[in-house]
Amino acid sequence: MATTSSISSLGIGSGLQANEIVSKLVALESQPIVNLQTASDKLQTKISAYGQIQSAVSSVRDAARKLTSSELWGSTAAASADATAVNATTAAGAQVGTYAVDVTALAKPQSTVTKTSLASATSTLGEGTLTLELGTWGAGNSFTGKSGATPVTINVAATDTLANIRDKINSSNSGVKASIITDSSGARLVMQSATTGEANGFRITAADNDGDNANDAGLSALAYDPANTTAGTNLSQPASDAMATINNVPVKSATNTLSEVVSGLTITLSKVTSNPPTITTGPINITVSQDTAAITKAITDFATAYSSMASLVKSNTKYDEATKSAGTLQGDSGALSVQNQFRSILGSSSDASGTFKTLSSVGLEIQTDGTVKVNSTKLTSALGNLTEVKKMFMNSDSVDSTKDGIMTRLRVLSDNLLGSEGIITSRTSGLRQSITDNSARQESLQNRVDLYEKRLKAQYTALDTIMAGLSSQGNYVSQMINSLNSSSS
């Protein structure tokens, strides 16, 4: 009997569609894995939904925390009767009140300009050095150097143009800045103190290689030292301090910004208000009051954050009868607990204030869909009694919880929900563990399916071998019968 050859393709020996049969049987055996994959996708979707809720609750917590902040309720704002002349901003420590500011002089930088014009900015002046020194000018053109400032010497080459000299001054860190003015008469160099104030005046001396440091020729044309009759430049503006009174108290400043002259208040001077007989505007009133605009914004921000969170939770937990579709977390006990706990506090009353008991009483009105809307008229009226609104929002009583402010309760609730043992955290962790368990179950089932497929292929391979052998034997018998029949005839 002839030996059979090895089977190279499943089903060849048997004539069956063995590959197709095995594939369908394996697919049937794999259905539990498909179901687990679908379940895993749903779990992942729930985790994503909880992530969104976590972020929304965090925003509510931040908004509630701001409304329990002493900094917010103690914040102030300044308003000026003429902001073009005197303006102000507040910081921590600013006291409510009115401050009358009368400006008699503004702080100015010293400014000089060359007497003689050059043909252009590319003209040269000659070789030598310029020494720039900051300080205060006194009586009789006396000059006192500024404490802590060091004179700066600039070397000028014969080939340096007026523009080159300007650039060297500007990069010298001397406290003096230079620019060029060009008109029909030619180019002139303007030099100005980098900052205002009497102590920031400057003296410029020249060591001119032409041998004469006091004339208007060469580098001496840039000098300003009137005490030594060296003034190639004209003084167009002397350095000066700002002079003002605040509630009739004289103040002096090297700049036009008065910082902490009044605690917590920064006052900016822009115009002289009293300089008889030409200017007699008189004092400008700066009114410092509690910053109700910032409080209103914080309350509005809370309403926005809460409404966004409430809408998100509702959409994830609802069942739409019209479309027969359920939200991702429909029936989820954790999400429903978050929703119910927030609603409970939002609709509760507080004994923290004797005037305002509920959020609605100050203009935060709960809507039928669970969101919050600000009634601006009611809120503005309530903020007229800021002390009581503050109590209702931020009071904290370690003995009697009924006297806790509503925002304090919401902040504590949010902290608990987001904490390591909170509902949101624990529910998310549980879902992640379910995915891990699901993945392990899938792996176990896949191993079983792989063995099942291997067993099926082995069985069909054996069947192919047997069927191939039988076919070979049949062919041999047929050949023998045909041979015998041929011999008989």
Side-chain angles (χ1 to χ4, degrees):
M1 186 163 124
T3 59
T4 59
S5 60
S6 61
I7 304 302
S8 60
S9 181
L10 203 62
I12 290 294
S14 64
L16 297 173
Q17 298 294 325
N19 277 323
E20 183 178 347
I21 293 171
V22 169
S23 294
K24 289 183 177 180
L25 289 172
V26 170
L28 187 62
E29 189 72 11
S30 300
Q31 188 57 47
I33 298 176
V34 175
N35 294 340
L36 285 171
Q37 289 171 340
T38 301
S40 181
D41 291 341
K42 290 180 179 179
L43 289 170
Q44 191 61 57
T45 300
K46 286 186 176 183
I47 289 177
S48 177
Y50 262 106
Q52 293 174 343
I53 291 174
Q54 181 182 36
S55 178
V57 171
S58 180
S59 294
V60 172
R61 177 182 62 181
D62 292 344
R65 181 179 291 161
K66 187 166 186 178
L67 286 167
T68 60
S69 163
S70 297
E71 183 180 347
L72 173 69
W73 293 97
S75 63
T76 54
S80 172
D82 183 0
T84 64
V86 181
N87 208 351
T89 58
T90 61
Q95 298 299 309
V96 172
T98 300
Y99 303 88
V101 182
D102 199 7
V103 185
T104 55
L106 292 175
K108 296 178 182 179
Q110 178 180 325
S111 181
T112 63
V113 60
T114 52
K115 296 177 181 178
T116 305
S117 297
L118 297 178
S120 70
T122 60
S123 300
T124 59
L125 286 164
E127 187 177 2
T129 61
L130 292 173
T131 300
L132 289 72
E133 183 180 6
L134 295 181
T136 303
W137 291 100
N141 289 324
S142 63
F143 184 81
T144 303
K146 184 177 181 179
S147 176
T150 303
V152 174
T153 297
I154 298 173
N155 294 315
V156 179
T159 55
D160 281 339
T161 65
L162 188 64
N164 294 145
I165 296 172
R166 173 201 61 195
D167 296 340
K168 286 186 174 184
I169 292 173
N170 288 337
S171 62
S172 67
N173 197 31
S174 62
V176 178
K177 298 298 180 183
S179 59
I180 295 174
I181 294 178
T182 303
D183 58 18
S184 58
S185 65
R188 288 175 291 168
L189 190 70
V190 175
M191 287 172 283
Q192 188 176 73
S193 306
T195 53
T196 58
E198 288 179 358
N200 292 308
F202 58 87
R203 176 171 64 184
I204 301 176
T205 56
D208 198 335
N209 280 9
D210 66 5
D212 188 348
N213 298 329
N215 61 9
D216 295 345
L219 284 183
S220 302
L222 306 181
Y224 182 75
D225 186 12
N228 294 306
T229 65
T230 304
T233 60
N234 286 324
L235 179 67
S236 55
Q237 178 174 277
S240 62
D241 286 344
M243 305 291 290
T245 61
I246 300 177
N247 289 349
N248 291 322
V249 177
V251 295
K252 184 178 180 181
S253 171
T255 71
N256 292 310
T257 300
L258 310 182
S259 299
E260 294 301 318
V261 171
V262 178
S263 180
L265 200 61
T266 298
I267 301 172
T268 302
L269 312 178
S270 301
K271 289 181 182 179
V272 172
T273 58
S274 289
N275 190 1
T278 56
I279 303 173
T280 56
T281 305
I284 304 299
N285 284 337
I286 299 292
T287 303
V288 178
S289 57
Q290 287 191 293
D291 193 357
T292 56
I295 295 171
T296 298
K297 183 179 184 303
I299 292 173
T300 302
D301 288 346
F302 167 80
T304 299
Y306 184 88
S307 296
S308 177
M309 184 274 296
S311 297
L312 178 65
V313 174
K314 182 179 179 181
S315 67
N316 275 284
T317 56
K318 73 175 182 179
Y319 178 79
D320 193 326
E321 188 65 37
T323 61
K324 306 297 182 184
S325 61
T328 300
L329 300 175
Q330 199 269 330
D332 185 283
S333 60
L336 291 172
S337 177
V338 170
Q339 184 182 58
N340 292 335
Q341 288 186 72
F342 270 114
R343 285 179 175 177
S344 176
I345 292 179
L346 210 69
S348 67
S349 62
S350 169
D351 293 333
S353 166
T355 305
F356 304 109
K357 299 293 184 182
T358 64
L359 290 179
S360 178
S361 66
V362 297
L364 280 171
E365 299 175 344
I366 305 171
Q367 307 300 296
T368 55
D369 62 357
T371 60
V372 175
K373 183 178 180 181
V374 177
N375 183 322
S376 299
T377 301
K378 190 182 288 187
L379 176 59
T380 301
S381 176
L383 290 178
N385 191 348
L386 207 59
T387 300
E388 292 301 312
V389 176
K390 174 183 175 182
K391 290 179 183 177
M392 196 273 286
F393 275 173
M394 69 170 292
N395 196 54
S396 180
D397 194 311
S398 59
V399 177
D400 187 355
S401 61
T402 64
K403 293 183 179 179
D404 284 341
I406 293 178
M407 289 301 159
T408 297
R409 295 176 187 175
L410 287 171
R411 177 181 55 77
V412 171
L413 170 61
S414 300
D415 283 340
N416 290 338
L417 291 174
L418 297 171
S420 58
E421 297 181 1
I423 291 175
I424 293 176
T425 304
S426 59
R427 188 72 182 104
T428 302
S429 297
L431 289 169
R432 288 199 176 101
Q433 184 59 51
S434 294
I435 288 178
T436 299
D437 295 342
N438 180 295
S439 178
R441 180 61 179 154
Q442 285 186 54
E443 184 177 355
S444 176
L445 288 176
Q446 186 61 55
N447 290 336
R448 192 176 76 178
V449 168
D450 291 342
L451 290 173
Y452 177 65
E453 182 179 19
K454 185 178 181 180
R455 188 168 63 252
L456 284 175
K457 287 182 176 180
Q459 290 171 347
Y460 275 97
T461 299
L463 177 62
D464 281 344
T465 300
I466 294 171
M467 293 301 291
L470 291 174
S471 177
S472 177
Q473 290 177 9
N475 290 336
Y476 176 74
V477 171
S478 295
Q479 290 174 4
M480 290 298 292
I481 292 173
N482 288 337
S483 177
L484 288 172
N485 287 339
S486 297
S487 299
S488 300
S489 55

